[in-house]
């Protein structure tokens, strides 16, 4: 983790972070994220939101229409942001 993520988009695009959230990281990688989070507590809210998005279940009946899928996803993100 040479450069730390600083916003939601960066967390969602960080493969190491995604592995850590999904509990697929190595022991060493897990320890790095655990330590990083402890040292960067100001990111807890953003980390929590990113974890919720990564853990969102994919719904079988997710809209096939791209515009509707985008609206559905935006609605879910807005719901997370309001929490």
């Amino acid at each position: 983790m040479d450069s730390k993520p600083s916003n939601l988009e960066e967390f969602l695009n960080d493969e190491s972070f995604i592995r850590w959230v999904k509990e697929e990281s190595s022991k060493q990688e897990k320890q790095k994220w655990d330590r990083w989070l402890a040292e960067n507590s100001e990111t807890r809210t953003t980390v929590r939101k990113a974890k919720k998005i990564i853990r969102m279940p994919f719904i079988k009946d997710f809209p096939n229409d791209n515009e509707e899928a985008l609206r559905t996803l935006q609605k879910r993100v807005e719901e997370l942001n309001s929490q």
Side-chain angles (χ1 to χ4, degrees), residues 23-80:
E23 299 179 359
E24 297 172 353
S25 59
S26 67
K27 183 177 180 180
Q28 182 181 13
E29 191 173 46
K30 180 187 180 314
Q31 289 172 342
K32 284 182 182 180
W33 277 108
D34 291 343
R35 183 173 42 249
W36 184 87
L37 187 58
E39 294 170 357
N40 295 277
S41 60
E42 71 279 1
T43 65
R44 287 193 187 276
T45 300
T46 304
V47 167
R48 188 180 73 244
K49 288 177 183 179
K51 288 169 80 172
K52 284 183 178 184
I53 291 170
I54 291 167
R55 292 177 177 160
M56 277 184 176
F58 289 95
I59 302 171
K60 289 182 182 178
D61 61 344
F62 196 78
N64 289 330
D65 176 83
N66 287 342
E67 288 184 22
E68 184 164 343
L70 180 58
R71 283 192 299 273
T72 301
L73 184 56
Q74 286 173 331
K75 181 179 177 185
R76 290 180 183 172
V77 170
E78 288 171 6
E79 289 171 359
L80 286 173

Side-chain angles (χ1 to χ4, degrees), residues 1-7 10-11 14 33 36 40 42-43:
M1 259 178 287
D2 296 328
S3 63
K4 61 183 179 182
S6 61
N7 62 49
E10 289 178 4
F11 280 107
D14 188 303
W33 277 108
W36 184 87
N40 295 277
E42 71 279 1
T43 65

